[in-house]
């Protein structure tokens, strides 16, 4: 499950960067890489990013219900 959380978080970050580029420079990086917004691979990436965003709601809800939201999956201990 940890690997799935890391993969989906990475895809959400890719999606966020792509939307940032669309907003700032009117440049869709995913479309540019995969041959346009209607290209099957681009649509697959868009779909995976959307599913990943939905998946990331689960750990957010779990961490907020425990009273704390962590930006990282690691917990560092000091000795």
């Amino acid at each position: 499950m940890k690997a799935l959380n890391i993969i989906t978080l990475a895809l959400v970050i890719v999606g966020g960067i792509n939307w940032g580029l669309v907003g700032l420079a009117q440049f869709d990086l995913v479309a540019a890489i995969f041959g346009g917004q209607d290209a099957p691979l681009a649509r697959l990436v868009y779909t995976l990013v959307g599913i990943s965003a939905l998946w990331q709601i689960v750990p957010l809800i779990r961490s907020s219900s425990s009273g704390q939201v962590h930006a990282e999956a690691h917990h560092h201990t000091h000795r």
Side-chain angles (χ1 to χ4, degrees), residues 20-69:
L21 288 170
V22 169
L24 292 172
Q26 297 180 349
F27 179 71
D28 187 338
L29 182 61
V30 172
I33 291 172
F34 295 110
Q37 289 181 336
D38 294 330
L41 284 177
R43 294 187 64 204
L44 176 63
V45 171
Y46 298 140
T47 301
L48 290 174
V49 167
I51 291 169
S52 295
L54 293 173
W55 179 263
Q56 283 297 313
I57 293 171
V58 174
L60 177 66
I61 290 171
R62 283 186 184 154
S63 63
S64 65
S65 68
S66 70
Q68 218 171 12
V69 177

Side-chain angles (χ1 to χ4, degrees), residues 2 70-76:
K2 182 177 178 178
H70 297 284
E72 296 183 6
H74 313 258
H75 296 289
H76 300 284

